[in-house]
């Protein structure tokens, strides 16, 4: 019999299943805070309950297949799911731990973890390796949260250490909104991983009606839009989804999206040589974002085997950024963390399967 994945169950639901209800809190703490490996470590629970839990449930839906460490300290994980499918996640250390001369800790290390929401993806963007393989299936909420749990555990990251989540791995999160929204809530449980929704960024290729739905859920998550092009003709070529949801519909959905007054919507712009790296595009982008509290993140296209696009020159990317900055648009360039370990998601999986 297949065991039930306990990580799929929100604490409130678990409290209805396992009585007395405070057991749910204890179980959560053992799994997410004390990083237990088996039910039998949960010493404050009665033995017969542990036996029963062990028979029915698992809380390890993933196995680590491969880890690649990059020179800049980022680590890419390839995980196998119970059915043999694989997905990728990346641990990105944002700030290294620093101590003063007398050994006092000045600031703690911070981490961002990039996670997958589906095996494959239906959207099929021309530049993306994940999309090339087509879609296999949605990840469950527990398969999504487990990526973070496994990575925290594997790196001995203290349970209370600050972690940000970006749904920028494999898959289109808004095409799996039920499970992704469930994962957002499970992540934020104070007896669990305790990652507030305000530290979770959902990245989408721009499914406007789903952006609206997500907005109506009012979860408090941050939104990132993979824009990549400023006119519909080009965007349609790069991202077929633009036929169903054009740029205007995305901009309208973003304008209606509830965001924290101190935060901004992020627009990701994958820069490809001679495709979208010109100043004319930068100019259009400034116009498009007028009136939106936004920030732009420029990403260097990372070439992969068989890709028709090229990495842009540094000079063009910097000029693009400069234009945006000069015209009042906040703009950063994503440092290509992990470029040396085949950065963009889908690439580690691809290489592993070709072996
Ligand atoms: N499906 C969602 C979630 C993330 S997709 C979305 O499209 O927003 C993963 C991210 O990797 C996207 O921001 C995409 O632009 C980026 N990406 C895909 N292929 C890439 C490549 N070859 N080089 C650099 N970034 C890439
Ligand atoms: Fe899917 Fe995002 Fe890749 Fe496009 S970029 S194919 S939406 S994972």
């Amino acid at each position: 019999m297949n065991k039930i994945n306990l990580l799929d169950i929100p604490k409130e639901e678990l409290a209805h299943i396992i009585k007395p209800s405070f057991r749910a809190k204890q179980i959560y703490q053992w799994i997410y805070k004390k990083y237990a490996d088996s039910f039998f470590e949960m010493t404050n629970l009665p033995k017969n309950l542990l036996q029963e839990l062990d028979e029915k449930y698992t809380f390890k839906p993933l196995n680590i297949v491969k880890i690649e460490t990059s020179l800049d300290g980022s680590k890419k994980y390839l995980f196998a799911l119970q059915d043999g499918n694989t997905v990728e996640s990346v641990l990105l250390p944002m700030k290294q731990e620093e101590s003063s001369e007398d050994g006092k800790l000045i600031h703690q290390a911070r981490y961002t973890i990039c996670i997958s929401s589906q095996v494959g993806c239906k959207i099929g963007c021309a530049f993306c390796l994940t999309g090339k393989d087509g879609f296999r299936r949605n990840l469950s909420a527990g398969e999504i949260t487990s990526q973070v749990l496994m990575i925290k555990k594997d790196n001995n990251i203290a349970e209370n250490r600050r972690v940000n989540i970006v749904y920028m791995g494999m898959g289109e999160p808004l095409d799996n909104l039920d499970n992704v929204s469930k994962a957002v809530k499970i992540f934020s449980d104070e007896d669990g991983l305790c990652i507030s929704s305000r530290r979770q960024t959902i990245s989408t290729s721009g499914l406007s009606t789903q952006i609206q739905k997500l907005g109506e859920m009012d979860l408090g998550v941050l939104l990132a839009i993979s824009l990549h092009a400023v006119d519909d003709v080009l965007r349609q070529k790069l991202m077929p989804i633009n036929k169903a949801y054009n740029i205007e519909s995305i901009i309208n959905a973003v304008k209606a999206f509830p965001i924290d007054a101190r935060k901004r919507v992020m627009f990701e712009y994958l820069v490809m040589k001679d495709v979208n790296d010109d100043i004319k595009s930068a100019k259009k982008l400034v116009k498009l974002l007028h009136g939106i509290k936004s920030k732009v993140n420029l990403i260097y296209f990372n070439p992969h085997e068989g890709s028709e696009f090229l990495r842009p020159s540094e000079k063009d990317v910097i000029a693009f950024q400069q234009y945006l900055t000069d015209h009042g648009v906040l703009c950063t360039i994503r440092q290509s963390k992990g470029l040396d370990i085949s950065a963009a998601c889908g690439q580690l999986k691809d290489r592993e399967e070709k072996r």
Side-chain angles (χ1 to χ4, degrees):
M1 188 189 82
N2 273 345
K3 289 185 180 180
I4 300 166
N5 179 7
L6 203 146
L7 304 187
D8 281 328
I9 310 176
K11 192 178 67 196
E12 295 67 30
E13 224 174 275
L14 195 62
H16 285 293
I17 304 171
I18 295 161
K19 298 285 178 197
S21 57
F22 66 85
R23 296 283 180 225
K25 188 182 169 98
Q26 292 174 319
I27 294 169
Y28 250 58
Q29 290 180 346
W30 276 110
I31 294 178
Y32 295 104
K33 293 198 186 292
K34 297 185 214 168
Y35 301 154
D37 278 320
S38 102
F39 285 111
F40 298 103
E41 286 173 31
M42 304 181 183
T43 44
N44 55 355
L45 271 69
K47 281 226 169 66
N48 55 348
L49 175 63
L50 295 180
Q51 195 68 45
E52 194 188 321
L53 288 170
D54 189 57
E55 279 163 21
K56 275 196 202 154
Y57 297 96
T58 172
F59 52 93
K60 281 194 179 162
L62 307 180
N63 288 304
I64 299 174
V65 178
K66 196 174 165 83
I67 304 171
E68 281 188 10
T69 305
S70 145
L71 293 174
D72 63 14
S74 57
K75 262 175 149 180
K76 189 160 201 162
Y77 283 76
L78 185 68
F79 289 114
L81 304 157
Q82 294 298 309
D83 61 6
N85 278 309
T86 53
V87 290
E88 292 176 15
S89 325
V90 188
L91 170 68
L92 303 155
M94 303 312 278
K95 255 188 200 164
Q96 294 303 327
E97 194 171 279
E98 244 180 67
S99 303
S100 61
E101 276 175 15
D102 56 1
K104 265 199 202 136
L105 196 67
I106 300 174
H107 63 72
Q108 295 186 324
R110 277 191 194 167
Y111 303 93
T112 292
I113 300 179
C114 173
I115 55 174
S116 294
S117 57
Q118 298 180 316
V119 184
C121 181
K122 287 178 206 158
I123 312 294
C125 301
F127 48 80
C128 174
L129 209 49
T130 301
K132 289 254 180 306
D133 253 4
F135 172 76
R136 299 231 187 117
R137 72 169 175 87
N138 282 330
L139 295 190
S140 74
E143 286 170 333
I144 295 171
T145 53
S146 172
Q147 297 167 51
V148 175
L149 179 59
M150 294 278 283
I151 288 180
K152 280 187 80 175
K153 215 167 161 170
D154 191 53
N155 291 279
N156 297 315
I157 298 176
E159 54 94 3
N160 58 354
R161 211 35 92 69
R162 192 161 157 175
V163 169
N164 296 318
I165 304 288
V166 292
Y167 295 79
M168 291 182 186
M170 304 169 74
E172 167 51 54
L174 295 191
D175 186 36
N176 184 17
L177 185 55
D178 286 348
N179 294 341
V180 166
S181 58
K182 193 171 163 189
V184 169
K185 290 181 201 155
I186 294 175
F187 270 134
S188 60
D189 194 299
E190 57 182 20
D191 293 311
L193 290 163
C194 200
I195 303 169
S196 131
S197 57
R198 278 163 185 77
R199 281 193 269 129
Q200 301 183 48
T201 302
I202 295 187
S203 173
T204 177
S205 55
L207 282 64
S208 312
T209 49
Q210 295 294 90
I211 295 173
Q212 192 185 338
K213 256 196 206 163
L214 177 69
E216 283 161 8
M217 289 178 171
D218 209 11
L219 299 173
V221 288
L222 302 176
L223 184 64
I225 304 288
S226 289
L227 193 63
H228 311 329
V230 286
D231 70 79
D232 283 316
V233 177
L234 175 61
R235 195 165 191 275
Q236 211 153 297
K237 265 194 227 156
L238 300 174
M239 309 173 77
I241 189 75
N242 199 74
K243 281 189 200 109
Y245 303 106
N246 65 12
I247 297 177
E248 191 188 356
S249 79
I250 298 172
I251 296 293
N252 288 338
V254 168
K255 284 183 174 160
F257 192 82
I259 54 158
D260 191 316
R262 289 160 300 176
K263 305 276 184 183
R264 291 164 186 272
V265 173
M266 193 210 283
F267 285 85
E268 292 162 282
Y269 193 91
L270 185 61
V271 193
M272 289 164 265
K273 189 175 174 58
D274 298 334
V275 173
N276 61 355
D277 57 353
D278 53 305
I279 292 301
K280 233 169 107 187
S281 299
K283 210 168 180 172
K284 268 197 178 169
L285 187 54
V286 171
K287 268 205 190 129
L288 210 56
L289 299 182
H290 184 76
I292 300 176
K293 269 193 75 188
S294 60
K295 63 178 171 197
V296 172
N297 194 214
L298 300 178
I299 308 163
Y300 280 88
F301 175 71
N302 187 29
H304 46 81
E305 213 185 295
S307 71
E308 54 182 303
F309 304 104
L310 300 172
R311 190 179 158 87
S313 73
E314 197 177 349
K315 182 176 130 283
D316 287 340
V317 174
I318 290 175
F320 199 104
Q321 179 192 34
Q322 193 62 47
Y323 186 90
L324 295 188
T325 312
D326 288 347
H327 291 80
V329 176
L330 205 66
C331 178
T332 51
I333 299 174
R334 187 189 290 172
Q335 292 312 318
S336 46
K337 292 227 180 202
L339 195 66
D340 56 317
I341 53 165
S342 60
C345 269
Q347 300 191 10
L348 176 59
K349 177 186 168 82
D350 188 64
R351 274 201 287 115
E352 205 46 29
E353 283 175 357
K354 282 192 183 132
R355 263 164 208 264

